[in-house]
Amino acid sequence: MIIFGTKGYLYQLAILTLVCGGCGNPAAHTLRKRVTKFTLFFVPLFPISTKYATQCTFCGTEVKIGKEQAEQLQAQGAGASGPYGQGQGQGYGQAQQPYQS
C-alpha cells in the first residue's frame, strides 16, 4: 500500500502599500506565494506548482501575478523598508505607486 498526494504551503513574502485595482484605495497588499508539493507517505518531496498573488487588505481583492512581477514587487518592498516598517519617502499623505493587473 502506497500513500501519496499533495499538500499546499502558503508563504507571505511582503506587505506593500499599493493602489488597489478593485476598490481604488491606497491600501496594504500582501504578496503571497502558494507552493503545492507532491507527498509520499505524508513527506513532501518536490514542488508541483508555484503561484503568486497579491491581496488587498481593504477590500479582499486577490490578483494573480507572474513570478517576474512578484520578484520585482518583493525587491521593491525589501528596498523600501525603513525604521518602524515605513518606506523611505513613502509615509502617510504621500503618493503611492499604482498597481495595475
Side-chain angles (χ1 to χ4, degrees), residues 19 22 24 52 80 84 91 98 100:
V19 177
Y52 297 89
Y84 309 110
Q100 302 292 327

Side-chain angles (χ1 to χ4, degrees), residues 17-20 73 95-100:
T17 302
L18 305 170
V19 177
C20 181
L73 286 172
Q96 311 291 323
Q97 179 179 357
Y99 175 68
Q100 302 292 327

Side-chain angles (χ1 to χ4, degrees), residues 38-79:
F38 176 79
T39 61
L40 182 63
F41 294 106
F42 306 105
V43 177
L45 296 178
F46 55 87
I48 296 173
S49 72
T50 303
K51 297 177 183 178
Y52 297 89
T54 60
Q55 185 175 18
C56 177
T57 58
F58 188 78
C59 68
T61 301
E62 186 170 329
V63 178
K64 291 182 171 73
I65 59 174
K67 180 180 180 181
E68 296 80 21
Q69 191 174 7
E71 290 173 352
Q72 183 182 22
L73 286 172
Q74 187 177 9
Q76 172 189 341

